[in-house]
């Protein structure tokens, strides 16, 4: 069981991710004071001897329910004029009776030790066992049996001598633990029910420890990932800002060069007008004063229009590079005055 209780959280959200994980000082990796060997010894003493009753007079409630449903199925099957294998009782064969006796013994022992077994549907493929705050799966069946598939007539008469296998499944791989038992010559799995129950309970503890350790490892990894992502975002923002400043400075320079060119063009036009006036006075066929002045006034107006000094366009802010006009001149003037 986790040592931290979070109010309002269900069992699927035991490990919420802190919102400020990157800034948190993470605790040290989880430690567990009781060695696994001591846990196993304590659990084995708790489990004791797991026996198999010869009858189902005191069956576990899950097994009892399966048997009751099978009684109804059996009565309908024998009363029917057309007997289909799909309607036949599921647990009449010697193999199935043996399987239910083994399951019954395991479930009774597990519940006696504080576990909470739960069963599936009418044709069980496995059982869920909740121990503390951990969920494990317990399956007892033929090796490779698919309980969700179609059953054939051999299943109705399968002998008890058919091989049986018990498997404990967890969400994590538990190193060094035997999690499956199978009939061997002269050594049926009935001889190992104590081990199966003990391993199921100890496996839940190891499952908890592995989950806690894995969550801490994930927090460490996720925190490092968040820090790295933040560093990359800062670097990317700084890179974009540098590129923006370079583009802005280049745009400012391009504007300056354009204004200088426009200033030269304006003065070229004025010089051109002056030369035209002088040339007209000595021309063999001079233009009329009216025509000349009309043209000259228009040309000088164009020069004034493109002249950045006359229009004071150089004093205006560049829309692509804000702060390049009045604000900077004001700041420069303030520095000179101080």
């Amino acid at each position: 069981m986790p040592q931290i209780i979070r109010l309002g959280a269900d069992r699927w959200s035991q490990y919420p991710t802190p919102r400020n994980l990157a800034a948190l000082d993470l605790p040290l990796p989880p430690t567990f004071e009781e060695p696994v060997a001591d846990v196993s010894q304590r659990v084995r003493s708790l489990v004791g001897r797991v026996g198999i009753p010869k009858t189902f007079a005191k069956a576990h409630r899950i097994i009892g329910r399966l048997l009751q449903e099978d009684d109804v199925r059996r009565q309908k099957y024998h009363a029917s004029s057309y007997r289909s294998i799909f309607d036949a009782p599921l647990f009449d064969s010697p193999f199935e009776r043996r399987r239910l006796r083994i399951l019954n013994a395991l479930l009774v022992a597990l519940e006696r030790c504080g576990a909470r077994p739960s069963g599936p549907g009418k044709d069980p493929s496995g059982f869920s066992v909740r121990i503390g705050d951990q969920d494990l799966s317990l399956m007892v069946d033929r090796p490779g049996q698919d309980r969700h598939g179609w059953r054939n007539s051999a299943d109705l008469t399968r002998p008890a001598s058919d091989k049986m296998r018990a498997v404990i499944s967890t969400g994590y791989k538990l190193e060094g633990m035997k999690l499956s038992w199978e009939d061997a010559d002269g050594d049926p799995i009935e001889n190992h029910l104590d081990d199966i129950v003990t391993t199921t309970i100890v496996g839940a503890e190891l499952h908890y420890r592995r989950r806690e350790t894995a969550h801490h490892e994930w927090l460490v990894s996720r925190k490092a990932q968040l820090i790295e992502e933040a560093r990359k975002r800062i670097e990317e923002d700084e890179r974009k800002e540098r590129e923006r400043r370079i583009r802005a400075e280049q745009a400012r320079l391009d504007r300056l060069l354009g204004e200088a060119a426009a200033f030269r063009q304006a003065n070229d036009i004025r010089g051109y007008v002056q030369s035209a006036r002088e040339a007209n006075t000595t021309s063999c066929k001079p233009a009329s004063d009216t025509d000349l002045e009309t043209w000259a006034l228009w040309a000088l107006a164009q020069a004034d229009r493109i002249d950045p000094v006359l229009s004071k366009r150089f004093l205006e802010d560049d829309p692509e590079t804000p702060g390049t006009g009045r604000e900077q001149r004001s700041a420069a003037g303030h520095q000179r005055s101080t």
Side-chain angles (χ1 to χ4, degrees), residues 149-168:
W150 183 77
R151 308 184 75 190
N152 57 44
S153 57
D155 292 322
L156 301 182
T157 58
R158 193 170 297 282
S161 59
D162 268 19
K163 273 196 172 184
M164 193 88 68
R165 188 185 188 203
V167 178
I168 300 169

Side-chain angles (χ1 to χ4, degrees), residues 43 46-48 50 107-116 131 197 201:
V43 172
L46 174 68
V47 171
V50 179
L107 298 184
V108 168
L110 285 166
E111 196 156 279
R112 173 173 55 81
C113 295
R116 290 163 285 170
I131 301 172
V197 175
I201 298 174

Side-chain angles (χ1 to χ4, degrees), residues 202-269:
V202 175
E205 170 65 15
L206 295 185
H207 182 265
Y208 158 71
R209 295 185 180 191
R210 184 69 189 93
R211 264 175 64 172
E212 291 291 300
T213 302
H215 179 61
H216 183 271
E217 292 171 352
W218 181 85
L219 285 177
V220 172
S221 174
R222 180 58 178 158
K223 178 180 177 179
Q225 181 183 6
L226 291 173
I227 293 174
E228 179 64 12
E229 290 174 355
R231 184 189 66 79
K232 288 183 178 180
R233 281 196 301 271
I234 292 173
E235 287 185 352
E236 180 65 13
D237 291 344
E238 291 175 346
R239 182 189 66 79
K240 290 181 178 179
E241 177 61 18
R242 287 194 301 269
E243 291 178 352
R244 187 198 66 79
R245 290 179 179 177
I246 292 172
R247 289 194 303 270
E249 186 62 26
Q250 184 61 48
R252 188 180 180 193
L253 176 60
D254 292 343
R255 179 185 175 187
L256 176 63
L257 294 174
E259 290 174 348
F263 178 71
R264 288 194 300 271
Q265 289 174 342
N267 287 330
D268 286 347
I269 292 172

Side-chain angles (χ1 to χ4, degrees), residues 13 15 27 40 82 113 140-141 152 167 175 184 219 221 236 268 276 334 336 338:
S13 59
Y15 302 110
S40 299
Y82 174 75
C113 295
V140 177
D141 214 329
N152 57 44
V167 178
E175 301 290 347
L219 285 177
S221 174
E236 180 65 13
D268 286 347
H334 176 73
R336 287 194 298 269
T338 56

